[in-house]
Amino acid sequence: MANRRMISNAVVKSARFLRMPPTSQNLYFHLILNADDDGIVEAFPVMRMTGAVEDDLKILMEKKFIEVLNEDLVTYVYDWLEHNKIRADRKVDSVYKGLLFNVLPDVEYRGKAPKKEPSRNKVSDDNHQSDKRQTDDRQASAQVSLEEAKVVEVNLGECSEAEEKDTSSDSDLIPIFNFWEQNGFGMLPPLTMEHLEKWVEDFQEIGATRQDAIEIVLFSLHRGVEGNGKTYNYINTILKSWESSLFLTVTQIKAEDPFLNRQKKQERPKLSYEQYDDDEPYF
């Protein structure tokens, strides 16, 4: 008996089927589920299993859904071929096939067909094709592996160059980081480090060389020490002002920064950058 059985909607949704009591319908489903490949089933154990009674079986017989073949309630399902179409080479003939023909000699029956054995030439051709496919697959796999190895080698080279570039790029910022930690600003948090690196990039974007941009940021730290403004907010205010003035070198800042010149001439009491709003030039 197979593990799976199909049930046709054309049968179980018909008026003839739906007019039966639910217990008879339920018994019918279980008979199909437990039938062999010819649609024959021993009904008695199925009835005991489902709690059905002989009246349910009689209703199925009267409606011509089944035919009881003997006193042991061996039963044939009439619409079996509508429900299940089993390949002839996979079918297993029923042990009750003789009984079925005795009771229903005109029944439509599909016997088991022998499996077709492949010819020797066919087997040889198949083996040849299989060997050829395996050879092609190995060659293709080897080619792909070689190309992947080349790609990996190129990527590793690119990564190595990028790492060297990043390392050399970061190393020129060390004077800024060291000055911060050695002149009273405290430990340099990672976020502040990123902000200082970004300021170097910002001055480069407006036209400064990288070396001049680094010197500008370093000079802002010197101004923070002199102005007793050893916080990032103070340094950020200075750098914003210099960026808005498009200063590109420390020499230009010293010559053109109004705040520095005002301090030199002592035109008014010394002021710190913190006294100016972030959104307005401190000069």
Side-chain angles (χ1 to χ4, degrees):
M1 185 183 68
N3 291 325
R4 296 185 181 90
R5 291 303 185 202
M6 305 294 292
I7 295 177
S8 171
N9 276 332
V11 176
V12 300
K13 286 188 176 181
S14 64
R16 181 170 63 101
F17 183 84
L18 295 175
R19 286 194 180 102
M20 293 191 303
T23 53
S24 298
Q25 296 181 27
N26 181 57
L27 177 59
Y28 183 73
F29 289 130
H30 281 274
L31 290 174
I32 292 175
L33 181 62
N34 289 275
D36 59 24
D37 289 353
D38 286 322
I40 301 174
V41 56
E42 295 179 358
F44 182 74
V46 176
M47 293 169 63
R48 295 294 296 270
M49 180 177 62
T50 60
V53 296
E54 289 192 13
D55 287 343
D56 296 318
L57 194 65
K58 290 178 181 178
I59 291 174
L60 291 173
M61 290 179 61
E62 292 172 358
K63 296 290 186 179
K64 291 298 180 181
F65 284 106
I66 64 171
E67 182 68 36
V68 176
L69 304 178
N70 63 13
E71 295 179 354
D72 294 329
L73 302 184
V74 174
T75 302
Y76 173 70
V77 178
Y78 272 116
D79 295 308
W80 179 253
L81 296 179
E82 173 67 25
H83 293 300
N84 291 275
K85 294 179 174 62
I86 302 171
R87 279 178 45 176
D89 59 337
R90 294 182 178 178
K91 178 179 175 292
V92 177
D93 286 344
S94 174
V95 295
Y96 296 108
K97 181 171 64 172
L99 177 62
L100 175 66
F101 288 145
N102 288 334
V103 178
L104 299 172
D106 297 329
V107 68
E108 182 180 357
Y109 182 83
R110 295 180 183 178
K112 178 179 176 60
K115 293 184 179 180
K116 294 182 179 179
E117 296 293 337
S119 65
R120 292 184 178 180
N121 291 337
K122 176 64 175 177
V123 172
S124 177
D125 291 342
D126 289 345
N127 290 339
H128 176 71
Q129 292 295 331
S130 177
D131 292 342
K132 185 175 184 302
R133 284 195 297 270
Q134 291 178 1
T135 301
D136 293 342
D137 290 343
R138 284 195 294 269
Q139 291 176 349
S141 177
Q143 182 66 24
V144 171
S145 298
L146 180 59
E147 292 177 357
E148 289 178 348
K150 291 180 179 179
V151 171
V152 170
E153 183 178 355
V154 171
N155 289 340
L156 288 176
E158 292 176 352
C159 290
S160 177
E161 292 176 0
E163 289 176 358
E164 291 178 0
K165 183 177 179 181
D166 290 342
T167 302
S168 61
S169 176
D170 292 343
S171 63
D172 57 8
L173 299 175
I174 291 177
I176 296 175
F177 304 151
N178 288 342
F179 188 92
W180 179 283
E181 294 185 342
Q182 295 171 5
N183 289 272
F185 288 89
M187 293 295 295
L188 181 60
L191 183 59
T192 302
M193 182 183 299
E194 292 178 8
H195 289 328
L196 295 175
E197 292 178 7
K198 185 64 170 62
W199 269 117
V200 172
E201 296 172 1
D202 288 348
F203 277 99
Q204 286 183 266
E205 289 178 0
I206 65 173
T209 65
R210 182 170 180 82
Q211 184 58 39
D212 284 335
I214 291 172
E215 291 178 357
I216 289 173
V217 175
L218 189 58
F219 185 58
S220 71
L221 299 183
H222 282 277
R223 298 302 304 157
V225 172
E226 293 174 2
N228 198 27
K230 299 178 182 180
T231 65
Y232 176 73
N233 288 337
Y234 188 91
I235 301 303
N236 192 55
T237 302
I238 296 174
L239 292 172
K240 278 185 178 180
S241 177
W242 291 348
E243 181 187 38
S244 65
S245 298
L246 300 179
F247 292 150
L248 303 180
T249 64
V250 173
T251 301
Q252 184 182 9
I253 293 171
K254 291 179 178 179
E256 301 179 15
D257 186 349
F259 181 79
L260 292 177
N261 293 330
R262 195 176 298 136
Q263 283 186 328
K264 291 178 182 178
K265 297 177 181 179
Q266 296 181 349
E267 294 178 352
R268 61 179 181 176
K270 182 177 181 180
L271 300 175
S272 69
Y273 290 95
E274 291 177 337
Q275 294 174 263
Y276 294 91
D277 186 81
D278 288 352
D279 298 330
E280 298 180 359
Y282 59 84
F283 49 84

